[in-house]
Structure formats: C-alpha cells, structure tokens
Amino acid sequence: MNALNTPSVLTDAQYHEAIQAVLTRIETTVDRWLEGDVADIDSARSGGMLTLTLPNRTQLIINAQPPLQELWLAAKRGGFHFRQAGDGRWLDTRSGEEFFALLSACASEQAAVPLSF
C-alpha cells in the first residue's frame, strides 16, 4: 500500500463528519436526478444508513459502521466495505476500488441507466 492508500486514523468526530458528507452528497445527487427526470430513485435515511430504492424496486444500502470506521455498501453485485484513505477517498478493503465509482457502477447496473455520483 502506498501513502495514498493507507487507511486514515480518524477521531470519532472526523469519522462522523466524513460519513455525513458522503450521505449528503448521495442525497443531493439523487434529488438532482429527480428534479431533472434522470432517474426516479427514492431515498430514505435513518441515522447512518441510507437506502436507495430504484424504479425496479431493487435497493442500494449505504451504511456507516462507526466501531470499524467503515462505510458499507450493499448492492445486487454484493457487499463492500470501505475505509477512508489518507487522501480522503473511501476505498474498498478488498479491491481498493473507490466508493463513488463502485456506487455509480452498481446504481447504473440496477437502474439500467448510466448514473454517476
């Protein structure tokens, strides 16, 4: 692992701030898609969990995991765990794939429309 891919050690406050930024970015993007008639996706947030329901009733679930300082994504493709890297990106703990790139790919597959977060 190089310095950019080294997991960050965050305080609890920094972790919660980073998670809120991720969830807000997703919600803002979904709202923009609804307004622009790009995709009809329902979003529901409960604490650190955000559920996106696509038109075909499949779901994407993004969930904060504070004890592990991780961000989880559940999609039809599978379940993924992300940790924040030293450069602020959230990277999959197995593949190293960036969170928003993988979320965009999963959303595009499930919605059958190209979507980019």
Side-chain angles (χ1 to χ4, degrees), residues 10-21 63-72 82 84 90:
L10 304 172
T11 65
D12 286 344
Q14 290 169 324
Y15 170 78
H16 288 292
E17 183 177 316
I19 289 294
Q20 290 307 314
N63 195 12
Q65 293 296 316
L68 303 173
Q69 288 199 348
E70 290 185 349
L71 177 64
W72 291 1
F82 300 85
Q84 196 174 61
W90 291 89

Side-chain angles (χ1 to χ4, degrees), residues 26-107:
I26 295 167
E27 288 175 316
T28 300
T29 301
V30 168
D31 287 346
R32 191 174 67 247
W33 290 341
L34 286 170
E35 290 170 7
D37 203 27
V38 174
D40 185 15
I41 300 173
D42 292 325
S43 65
R45 192 195 295 200
S46 177
M49 184 171 77
L50 178 62
T51 302
L52 303 178
T53 304
L54 293 99
N56 61 4
R57 296 191 178 185
T58 64
Q59 293 184 327
L60 297 163
I61 300 171
I62 300 97
N63 195 12
Q65 293 296 316
L68 303 173
Q69 288 199 348
E70 290 185 349
L71 177 64
W72 291 1
L73 169 63
K76 283 182 78 172
R77 189 190 284 195
F80 306 91
H81 299 194
F82 300 85
R83 293 204 59 141
Q84 196 174 61
D87 63 357
R89 294 177 303 147
W90 291 89
L91 303 177
D92 182 62
T93 59
R94 288 177 286 187
S95 71
E97 193 166 358
E98 194 272 332
F99 172 76
F100 286 107
L102 186 55
L103 176 62
S104 296
C106 291

